[in-house]
Structure formats: C-alpha cells, structure tokens
Amino acid sequence: MKRLAVIALASALACALAPLASAELYKYVDKDGKTVYSDQPPVNADSKQLHVAPASTSAPKSYVERDKELDKQRKEAAEKEKKSEQSAAQAKAAEERCTQAQANYKSFEEGGRLLKYNDKGEREYMTDDEIEAGRAKSKQQMEEACKKS
C-alpha cells in the first residue's frame, strides 16, 4: 500500500514538473553551408545553444464555455443583421423622400396653371407669386431630401 502511494506521488510530481522542463536546441552550419537545427550538439562544428520554452498547453474548453461563446456569436450576428436591416430601411425611406420632392419640384418647374384648395375647399388657380414661392420651397425641400451624406 505504501509503495502504491509513493508511486502515485512520484507520478503526480513528474506530471507537475513536466511543463517546466524546456527542450535544448542546437543551431550550427554544416560543411555544405546549410543551417541545421538539432536536439544533440554536433561533434565537429561550432554550435549555438538555443533555449526553447515548451508550448503552453491550455486546457480544452468545456461544453458550457463553448455554448456561451456560440450564444455570444449568435447574438452579435443577430444585432449586426438588425442594424443592417435598419440602415437599409432608412436608405429606402430617404430615397422615397427624394423621389417625392423631385416630383413636387418638377410640377412647379414645368409651368402652367396650378390649382390649390382654398379655405372653403374649393379649387382655384394659383397666382404667379404663389407658384414662384412654391417652386422655391419645393427646390429647398428637394435639395434637403436628396443630399448625399
């Protein structure tokens, strides 16, 4: 029983110290002029000893951690898609406002007699001053609606 405990203790100690050990690496140039890396020093050549730290071994992620990462990625993707849909809807609404403003301006620009409704709900023709004021106002609205950001 004591032997088993000693063996278990020794193996646990060896496993704990294994990551602390670093591999020795030697670098030298052979007779053909090629650079050679080896774990053993060369017999007949000058070598430089390199110290290489062992690769860090990170523990694999648990299923819970993986699920959390996947949920986070899904949420980020959903938010990104929502933002792109909102920006597309805003761009479409801006385009429609621009088109409507251009049509309004065009109706004033083409000339001719334009009608309006008075306070009683009756149709009457606009005067030249009203048409000019409407043209200026619709031009300003068109420029605001159609400006490129």
Side-chain angles (χ1 to χ4, degrees):
M1 189 72 159
K2 288 183 182 181
R3 287 183 187 170
L4 185 60
V6 171
I7 292 173
L9 181 62
S11 66
L13 185 61
C15 289
L17 294 177
L20 300 177
S22 63
E24 297 297 325
L25 187 65
Y26 297 93
K27 175 183 174 182
Y28 63 94
V29 178
D30 67 0
K31 62 183 177 181
D32 297 328
K34 294 181 182 177
T35 303
V36 178
Y37 295 93
S38 174
D39 61 345
Q40 298 178 357
V43 179
N44 55 0
D46 288 334
S47 65
K48 181 177 179 183
Q49 184 176 10
L50 304 173
H51 295 281
V52 179
S56 63
T57 56
S58 59
K61 295 181 181 180
S62 69
Y63 289 112
V64 174
E65 291 171 338
R66 289 182 197 166
D67 284 344
K68 286 181 181 179
E69 283 184 11
L70 287 174
D71 286 342
K72 183 179 176 183
Q73 291 173 354
R74 286 184 193 123
K75 287 178 184 178
E76 289 173 355
E79 289 175 8
K80 187 176 179 181
E81 184 177 342
K82 183 178 178 182
K83 287 180 182 179
S84 68
E85 288 175 358
Q86 288 175 347
S87 64
Q90 289 173 350
K92 184 177 180 183
E95 183 67 30
E96 289 174 1
R97 282 192 303 273
C98 178
T99 303
Q100 182 63 40
Q102 286 173 339
N104 289 342
Y105 179 70
K106 187 176 181 182
S107 67
F108 281 107
E109 193 63 29
E110 287 179 347
R113 300 306 304 170
L114 298 175
L115 296 171
K116 67 174 185 174
Y117 290 96
N118 63 12
D119 295 337
K120 298 177 186 176
E122 300 171 342
R123 294 186 333 171
E124 57 184 41
Y125 289 105
M126 296 175 75
T127 65
D128 290 338
D129 292 336
E130 291 173 330
I131 291 172
E132 188 59 39
R135 180 182 299 134
K137 184 178 178 182
S138 65
K139 183 175 183 179
Q140 179 187 9
Q141 290 173 344
M142 179 185 69
E143 289 173 352
E144 289 176 8
C146 297
K147 68 181 177 182
K148 301 293 180 188
S149 300

